[in-house]
Amino acid sequence: RLGSATSLSSASINARLQELVRLFRERTEKVKEKLIDSDVTSDDESPVASAAAAPVPAAGGELEGDKPLGDDHYCEMLCCTFKHQPSLDHLKSCQFPSSIDPLTNLMYVLWLFFVVMAWNWNCWLIPVRWAFPYQTPANIHYWLLVDYLCDLIYLLDMLIFQTRLQFVQGGDIITDKKAMKQNYLRSQRFKMDVLCLLPLDFFYFKVGFNPLLRFPRCLKYLAFFEFNNRLEAILTKAYIYRVIRTTAYLLYSLHVNSCLYYWASAYEGLGSTSWVYDGEGNSYIRCYYWAVKTLITIGGLPDPKTLFEIVFQLLNYFTGVFAFSVMIGQMRDVVGAATAGQTYYRSCMDSTIKYMNFYKIPRTVQNRVKTWYEYTWHSQGMLDESELLVQLPDKMRLDMAIDVNYSIVSKVALFQGCDRQMIFDMLKRLRSVVYLPNDYVCKKGEIGREMYIIQAGQVQVLGGPDGKSVLVTLKAGSVFGEISLLAAGGGNRRTANVVAHGFANLFILEKKDLNEILVHYPESQKLLRKKAKKMLRSNNKPKEEKGGPGDALIIPPRADTPKLFRAALAATGGRGALGRLRWRLKELRAMQE
């Protein structure tokens, strides 16, 4: 019984002594680290944000943030009470803006759409009503109703929208109401708007309802071109709208020509000769068919008989050749601009294939190069993102880089706690690279000069005796190779092979770019250096083996006892708890002997 009690007490004392040894050893390592590395100033890696002050409750027991902003308004209906917003507040929230940004305001683009629709009504139907007998006394009130509705849209555009458009003067955006109004009154747009709203309709009382009196309404073409610019700026595939618009130009020219042909036929007399319209069938369709054959110069038309018919046909031929050639050239430009990227991609690929054939590159390598071209183009829509961003200002490049990469880079443990502006500068240096299946991203033993961030796809870390066993699979958002950027403690050599598992899009940050950035952020440089040392020490630290049941209960002598612990024992001189612990240790040694 005495022996068992002695063994239990020895075990407890031994465990306590080992705990003290471990604490003194950690303390010694921290002191050594501070003495050796002058950059380490404190144990804290990053400042901790102070806690926000708690809201102070009011006298009534409610928090200040819970107080209503205004009085409650209720509407009693039958047996229920409904809460609703006051009418005045609702009107204030729905009031028209005092100034409009014409470049980014979608409401203004929608309004321009209605203005353009009114303009198209005048441009397309005024010639029809003038040439064809579609406007009659029986339906004149319908035509006039739509006409004056379009005039109302024109007037609202002048009085409400155009006088509230912001403009740039001396680099400043002017939003003052008086200045915006004066700017519109001095512009060419105002003069054209006044001209297109000339009240020529009063001549209806003298000459009748002649649609040609509304021809000035077609002068509001500036709104049409402005709508085209604003709409193309917000569309993702603007070339589709350009093709539709160019086709509309061609259809409108044929529309005007068909109206002129019917007017010429009515002037000569319907059916008077073989050249004019004979008055049978749908007049507009028959005249439009004649206009198509004339402008496209298909031929097969009856020969003109009179001098008027000959001159009219000659003018039609000349105009048709000119207009049709202009339309074809414009259509070619639109299609060429839409396929410019595809043409550039095909040109680069053809030049690369020609180069590989000239130097007799193996077929397997050529196939991988072709695969890289095809995948990069189809996944990114371009071969090099830097060529697109180089035209943008530095601030805009930073904004785009933050939206694309900041959520990933901010999760890297190495960069947490660093200066936020340093991370922003680092985002602009990231470079996108595509790896094919089974491509080596990095190999074991090589010098590490880059950090990798997986944007899409997966990579596999290989190891084992043969170097082909999959240790771990990294997916999108993972980061590897970050310690190699600082090259601390010899950690700039790769410790494993990393292979792309399928197609992988990676962001790469080179070491030289990081060094150029850290020159301007010394505090972040110290923090990164400290973190890199800790990460290397944790990666290289061997796992401690646990003692077995047959191990001695007494701590190993002298060599494992820290000097700092012995100095503390000597300083106490055998007094207090340390003195009793020392005396107990001597007693245990004597018993063991």
Side-chain angles (χ1 to χ4, degrees), residues 30 138 216 238 271 377 417 515:
K30 290 183 179 180
W377 174 257
N515 292 337

Side-chain angles (χ1 to χ4, degrees), residues 384-528:
D384 189 2
E385 295 180 354
S386 60
E387 295 181 0
L388 175 65
L389 302 178
V390 71
Q391 302 175 0
L392 298 177
D394 187 71
K395 179 63 173 60
M396 293 184 180
R397 289 204 305 269
L398 175 60
D399 294 340
M400 296 182 66
I402 291 174
D403 293 335
V404 176
N405 306 325
Y406 181 74
S407 60
I408 299 177
V409 177
S410 60
K411 297 178 182 178
V412 181
L414 184 63
F415 300 127
Q416 291 180 359
C418 294
D419 194 304
R420 187 181 181 88
Q421 188 61 40
M422 187 212 76
I423 298 180
F424 288 166
D425 293 344
M426 189 174 61
L427 293 177
K428 295 184 292 184
R429 304 295 185 97
L430 293 179
R431 181 168 52 90
S432 178
V433 177
V434 175
Y435 287 90
L436 301 183
N438 300 323
D439 273 355
Y440 276 89
V441 180
C442 57
K443 293 185 178 182
K444 182 178 180 179
E446 69 179 9
I447 303 298
R449 299 182 179 88
E450 305 91 5
M451 180 192 73
Y452 301 91
I453 303 173
I454 304 177
Q455 180 190 16
Q458 299 178 358
V459 298
Q460 294 179 340
V461 181
L462 305 181
D466 56 351
K468 297 182 180 180
S469 301
V470 179
L471 302 179
V472 66
T473 300
L474 304 178
K475 299 181 180 180
S478 301
V479 181
F480 60 96
E482 64 271 21
I483 304 179
S484 301
L485 292 180
L486 298 175
N492 58 333
R493 288 190 176 273
R494 305 297 186 188
T495 57
N497 297 327
V498 180
V499 180
H501 180 63
F503 293 95
N505 291 39
L506 306 181
F507 284 120
I508 295 180
L509 176 63
E510 296 185 358
K511 182 179 178 180
K512 62 177 182 179
D513 293 334
L514 181 62
N515 292 337
E516 293 176 0
I517 296 173
L518 291 179
V519 171
H520 307 286
Y521 303 96
E523 296 298 328
S524 297
Q525 185 177 15
K526 295 177 182 179
L527 179 60
L528 288 177

